[in-house]
Amino acid sequence: MDERQAYAACDGNWTDGVRVVSGESSDNVQQLAMPMGIGLDGDALHGLHLVFVSIDCGASGSYTDENSIAWIGDDDLIQNGESKVVQSGNALSDDHVMSTLRVFSTRKKNCYTILASKGGQVLVRASFNYGNYDKKSSPPSFDLHFDGNLWATVKTSSEGLVYYEAIYVVKGDSISVCVAQTNPNQLPFISAIEVRSLGSHMYSHVDAAYALFLRSRTAYGANGTIRYSDDGYDRIWNPAVIGSGLNMVTSDALFIDVNVEDEPPQAVMQNAITASTASQSIALGTNFPTEKVPIYITMYFSEVTELDSTQKRAFQFRINNKPDSDTIVPPYGKVTELYVSNMTASSNTSFSLVPTADSTLPPLINAMEVFTVSDQLADGTNTKDVEGLAAFQNQFGTLQDWGGDPCLPSPYSWDWINCSADATPRVTALYLSSFDLSGPLPDFSSMDALETIDLHNNSFNGAIPDFLGNLPSLKELNLADNKFSGPVPSSLSKNNKLKLVVSGNPDLCVTGKSCTQTTAGDSTPVAGGRKKKSSKLPVILGTSIPGFFVFWGIVGLVAVLHHRRKSAAIAAHGSGGTPHGGATNTNMADKIGQAVMNEIKVNIQEQVTSEISDYVHQTLRMDMKESITGVLVLLYCGFFSNRSLDVQIGNVARHSVSMGQAAGPRG
């Protein structure tokens, strides 16, 4: 069934987008005693979180105003921005709510987030009172967003308050209100945010994929503004400026049944305006822009006095002087509601109430709401990316102050991400370098459209998650200058299409190499962040090579001493004397030789055997140990036996050569 047929199936008459609804058609609407005075039907209540939130931006603490509305300051709701106070003497400086504001000088956009229920309908109002807070007498202009959608271009005034109101069905579990700078040196600010739950039956003749933006809400004949608690939904009804030829009238009904779809408050229906004569029409002001836009209008009519049989009040609603409704006869003590939708209009479009030929009384109207209809509401950033970004925000408090939709509206994405241009955008880049973040990385594997991840210069620790290697579109990954440890996953290190930077992580190592943790003194960082184990080979060589020459020097010394001993022994034998001096030299040489050999054994066996064995692994260690031990045995036995020194030295030399041949190929 199309929209026209759906409306035709309801009570009342349908003509070209205009429907007349009598008071009797809303008997199914249930009035409930809600804490806030809101009447919602049973279906609207089921499973929904009702919202009645009033935020005084720039203020701290909480209070209740003269309308019995409880307000809270925003100190605990947002970290960014600066609280300001309007100048004394400003028209609203005595208004507690409007005396403060919060101004934002950084970030693309700054957002407030309020919990709500998915599928619930809400009224959201954002108010702005410049009040010359900056003493520049230069009210700024900037953009206003909600839930990733462009709401309006705010044009603040030196004269007083401006506010914007939207009615729509919530798509997620929260709503966001954001301001974004659009002009240099014009800083966005906000004075108040109000969110009210509405009944699901209200304003239901606009598809839930669209929002209504208020142009005007008028209580004709009222003496002042009407809002909560007279209106349980806290809609603000402003009195009309009455032109010449119009009269204000007051209803004499003791009670007015307002049970129509959009539930106007009784206070609004108690007054009305009429034309001066029965033949005179009423022209209705709409405050539409100069260009044509989709519109939604709802009008409310209630007779102010009980008519006798000779009286009749009947009229038509006309657009550009063409009838656009059936005859309207306002009921006494009840309400007739007429709405207009499914059309476009501009400031050049005329709307009027024209009496019928048989009417004895002039047209009458009690109240009217005028809206423009938004473009189709965005579904928001892809839920996969929203989940991944939420994981970051849940783990790192620094990031929690970014609110609103991460990517929308373009180009007002969060400062530390890039997004695609799709209707449902994807997050393609994370730029979180130098955010002073510490701890392990959260699981953001759902963000499978990421092409660039830059996390350098933080204090992330723990292992590099394996899921990073499974991100199909990843081209650049910068994890430099953090505290990651353990191996780099092979899915990253072996990916030739990935630009990977992991330098400045001293506890990282490359998969396939030894990843044994070492102390700071045992390792040094190298390019790629991998630790290179400090080689002790230079120390080994620095002690072993000089020791080699010392060894052969001692061997030469011993040979000379031995030669002298031998010569002295021969000379003594030739003279028949006893070689006392020779014996002394022999004992000294023996002691020197033993001391030298002990030192060589300690130095060479402990240093060479231990250090080289560690460096060239177990097999080489055993070979070297056996070779060195063999040298020592030969030297020890040879020096203190009766064998020829020449033979001993030759054996040592041969064994040393064998040791070198054994060690050489393995090194």
Side-chain angles (χ1 to χ4, degrees):
M1 179 163 39
D2 63 22
E3 188 177 27
R4 180 180 294 268
Q5 290 172 326
Y7 294 153
C10 300
D11 292 336
N13 300 313
W14 165 264
T15 304
D16 293 337
V18 177
R19 180 184 169 210
V20 179
V21 184
S22 65
E24 291 82 1
S25 68
S26 300
D27 291 340
N28 62 326
V29 178
Q30 180 183 8
Q31 287 292 319
L32 300 173
M34 302 302 298
M36 64 198 78
I38 291 179
L40 297 174
D41 60 47
D43 291 338
L45 284 173
H46 182 69
L48 293 182
H49 170 70
L50 300 182
V51 183
F52 197 94
V53 174
S54 306
I55 302 171
D56 185 351
C57 303
S60 58
S62 60
Y63 61 92
T64 300
D65 69 10
E66 64 278 6
N67 295 311
S68 300
I69 297 173
W71 291 84
I72 58 172
D74 68 349
D75 281 352
D76 296 330
L77 302 178
I78 194 166
Q79 299 174 13
N80 202 32
E82 185 177 359
S83 176
K84 295 289 186 179
V85 178
V86 301
Q87 292 293 298
S88 60
N90 177 267
L92 294 173
S93 60
D94 293 332
D95 185 325
H96 197 311
V97 177
M98 294 302 150
S99 64
T100 61
L101 57 87
R102 184 170 294 272
V103 62
F104 303 96
S105 59
T106 61
R107 302 184 185 171
K108 294 180 183 178
K109 65 182 177 184
N110 287 270
C111 302
Y112 291 78
T113 300
I114 299 100
L115 293 179
S117 289
K118 183 176 182 180
Q121 186 167 221
V122 294
L123 178 155
V124 182
R125 186 161 49 237
S127 301
F128 307 87
N129 178 37
Y130 171 60
N132 199 27
Y133 78 89
D134 56 2
K135 301 179 182 179
K136 295 181 179 179
S137 299
S138 180
S141 177
F142 45 86
D143 276 355
L144 178 64
H145 306 158
F146 74 99
D147 294 3
N149 300 278
L150 179 62
W151 184 348
T153 296
V154 177
K155 296 180 180 179
T156 61
S157 170
S158 297
E159 303 302 320
L161 171 71
V162 296
Y163 65 88
Y164 298 81
E165 187 179 296
I167 293 174
Y168 67 100
V169 175
V170 181
K171 289 192 173 185
D173 56 6
S174 65
I175 68 172
S176 64
V177 177
C178 310
V179 290
Q181 185 173 3
T182 55
N183 300 301
N185 303 317
Q186 295 192 34
L187 300 181
F189 72 88
I190 190 164
S191 300
I193 299 172
E194 300 162 88
V195 182
R196 316 298 192 225
S197 289
L198 299 177
S200 61
H201 58 278
M202 299 174 68
Y203 308 101
S204 60
H205 303 292
V206 173
D207 192 288
Y210 300 86
L212 295 176
F213 295 149
L214 182 68
R215 300 295 297 187
S216 63
R217 182 180 288 116
T218 306
Y220 294 104
N223 294 319
T225 299
I226 298 172
R227 60 176 303 179
Y228 187 84
S229 59
D230 289 323
D231 186 335
Y233 299 105
D234 195 28
R235 291 167 292 189
I236 297 176
W237 302 82
N238 293 306
V241 177
I242 305 301
S244 60
L246 296 175
N247 299 320
M248 296 173 57
V249 292
T250 300
S251 175
D252 57 18
L254 297 178
F255 174 79
I256 301 174
D257 184 356
V258 295
N259 284 340
V260 290
E261 288 184 0
D262 295 326
E263 299 184 42
Q266 286 198 46
V268 167
M269 303 308 299
Q270 288 172 349
N271 298 284
I273 60 170
T274 67
S276 299
T277 64
S279 61
Q280 188 177 354
S281 300
I282 298 177
L284 302 173
T286 57
N287 193 32
F288 285 135
T290 55
E291 70 278 5
K292 281 194 172 184
V293 291
I295 67 164
Y296 182 91
I297 299 175
T298 184
M299 291 164 278
Y300 305 94
F301 308 94
S302 179
E303 183 57 68
V304 294
T305 189
E306 195 163 8
L307 304 181
D308 59 34
S309 59
T310 64
Q311 295 175 305
K312 181 177 183 179
R313 194 188 307 273
F315 51 90
Q316 285 184 322
F317 173 71
R318 293 189 178 188
I319 300 176
N320 292 329
N321 207 30
K322 294 180 180 179
D324 214 63
S325 76
D326 287 343
T327 299
I328 302 169
V329 178
Y332 177 68
K334 295 181 180 181
V335 177
T336 289
E337 178 179 356
L338 182 149
Y339 68 85
V340 180
S341 66
N342 227 20
M343 65 169 291
T344 61
S346 70
S347 58
N348 295 321
T349 307
S350 67
F351 300 88
S352 59
L353 301 175
V354 179
T356 60
D358 60 345
S359 179
T360 63
L361 296 173
L364 168 152
I365 184 170
N366 301 75
M368 181 171 71
E369 296 177 274
V370 179
F371 302 92
T372 57
V373 181
S374 73
D375 294 334
Q376 185 168 348
L377 300 181
D379 290 327
T381 301
N382 188 285
T383 55
K384 290 183 177 181
D385 298 322
V386 173
E387 291 172 3
L389 294 173
F392 271 101
Q393 291 187 307
N394 290 337
Q395 187 147 332
F396 306 112
T398 306
L399 305 178
Q400 291 178 1
D401 207 30
W402 271 269
D405 189 276
C407 293
L408 296 173
S410 178
Y412 300 104
S413 63
W414 291 355
D415 301 69
W416 43 278
I417 65 173
N418 272 1
C419 301
S420 69
D422 302 324
T424 301
R426 298 301 309 268
V427 176
T428 58
L430 288 176
Y431 296 111
L432 285 171
S433 64
S434 304
F435 268 66
D436 196 26
L437 306 177
S438 60
L441 283 179
D443 182 357
F444 57 100
S445 55
S446 60
M447 301 179 69
D448 53 14
L450 282 171
E451 299 175 3
T452 300
I453 301 175
D454 185 359
L455 306 178
H456 83 274
N457 196 28
N458 285 289
S459 296
F460 293 117
N461 57 34
I464 296 176
D466 290 331
F467 71 77
L468 292 174
N470 298 325
L471 296 176
S473 303
L474 192 60
K475 299 175 183 177
E476 296 184 24
L477 176 60
N478 190 343
L479 304 177
D481 302 320
N482 280 285
K483 297 179 181 179
F484 290 111
S485 59
V488 176
S490 59
S491 56
L492 296 174
S493 59
K494 294 181 179 180
N495 186 348
N496 296 327
K497 297 181 180 180
L498 175 66
K499 181 181 178 181
L500 175 65
V501 183
V502 292
S503 58
N505 289 275
D507 293 327
L508 274 182
C509 58
V510 177
T511 301
K513 302 294 184 182
S514 173
C515 290
T516 302
Q517 296 296 318
T518 58
T519 62
D522 291 333
S523 60
T524 55
V526 297
R530 178 168 50 102
K531 270 193 160 185
K532 184 169 109 176
K533 190 171 181 180
S534 298
S535 175
K536 295 184 179 180
L537 185 58
V539 178
I540 297 172
L541 296 178
T543 56
S544 300
I545 292 176
F548 177 80
F549 288 106
V550 171
F551 165 73
W552 285 111
I554 293 172
V555 170
L557 175 61
V558 172
V560 171
L561 292 175
H562 183 76
H563 178 71
R564 290 181 178 177
R565 184 186 67 174
K566 185 175 180 180
S567 299
I570 294 173
H573 180 75
S575 61
T578 302
H580 298 289
T584 301
N585 290 338
T586 300
N587 291 335
M588 183 178 296
D590 289 343
K591 293 178 180 179
I592 292 172
Q594 185 173 357
V596 169
M597 293 313 300
N598 287 339
E599 184 68 21
I600 291 173
K601 183 176 181 180
V602 171
N603 288 341
I604 294 179
Q605 188 169 4
E606 289 184 359
Q607 294 183 20
V608 176
T609 302
S610 176
E611 303 297 347
I612 292 183
S613 66
D614 286 344
Y615 190 73
V616 298
H617 308 299
Q618 183 120 8
T619 303
L620 182 57
R621 181 183 67 205
M622 296 302 298
D623 291 342
M624 292 295 289
K625 185 174 180 181
E626 291 173 2
S627 300
I628 294 168
T629 303
V631 172
L632 297 174
V633 170
L634 287 173
L635 289 173
Y636 184 86
C637 295
F639 283 130
F640 305 106
S641 69
N642 294 325
R643 296 179 63 184
S644 168
L645 181 62
D646 295 336
V647 175
Q648 297 160 16
I649 294 174
N651 288 338
V652 172
R654 284 193 298 275
H655 199 84
S656 298
V657 171
S658 299
M659 179 181 69
Q661 291 173 344
R666 297 175 187 267

